[in-house]
Amino acid sequence: QVQLVESGGGLVQAGGSLSLSCTASGIIFSRNTMGWYRQAPGKQRELTATITTGGSTNYADSVKGRFTISRGNAKNTVALEMNNLKPEDTAVYYCNLIDPYGATYWGKGTLVTVSS
C-alpha cells in the first residue's frame, strides 16, 4: 500500500503564487506516475498535472504556462508550483500516484483558495 501526504495549501490573492508538495511512503515501485488533481465545489475531480519517474509531464490546458510540476531525486515526492493564480483555481488539490499495474492512490487533499 501507498500513503500520500500533501502540504502547502492556503489562501492567496489572484495573481499570487503558491507551492504544493506531496510525499509518498509505503511500497512504491521504482517507476510510477504522480500528479495533482483538483476538485472545485460542485465540480468533478479533474487532472491538473502529472509527471512520470522519467520526467515526462502532462498539464491541463487551463494551467499550462502557469503551473510547474516536478519530482524529487528520490522519486517519491512531487511538487506543484502555481503562479499567476486565478479565482477559478480554487479547489481541493489531491496528490495522486499510479503504479505500473494501474493501482491508484490518493492523498486526503489540501485546500487552495484564490481570492479576487
Side-chain angles (χ1 to χ4, degrees), residues 37-41 87-94 110-114:
Y37 291 68
R38 65 187 185 184
Q39 187 168 21
E88 50 262 46
D89 294 320
T90 295
V92 176
Y93 285 71
Y94 296 91
T110 186
L111 177 63
V112 173
T113 302
V114 184

Side-chain angles (χ1 to χ4, degrees), residues 51-72:
I51 185 168
T52 69
T53 45
S56 179
T57 59
N58 184 39
Y59 295 91
D61 288 342
S62 60
V63 306
K64 285 182 179 177
R66 299 190 298 119
F67 292 10
T68 301
I69 190 168
S70 61
R71 300 189 72 142

Side-chain angles (χ1 to χ4, degrees), residues 5 15 22 25 27 37 69 89 93 104:
V5 179
C22 174
S25 61
I27 302 173
Y37 291 68
I69 190 168
D89 294 320
Y93 285 71
T104 303

Side-chain angles (χ1 to χ4, degrees), residues 28-37 47 49-59 69-79 96-100:
I28 304 171
F29 290 93
S30 60
R31 291 191 292 182
N32 57 70
T33 298
M34 295 186 71
W36 294 91
Y37 291 68
L47 180 147
T50 62
I51 185 168
T52 69
T53 45
S56 179
T57 59
N58 184 39
Y59 295 91
I69 190 168
S70 61
R71 300 189 72 142
N73 291 332
K75 307 299 182 184
N76 67 338
T77 61
V78 63
N96 166 268
L97 183 150
I98 303 174
D99 75 14

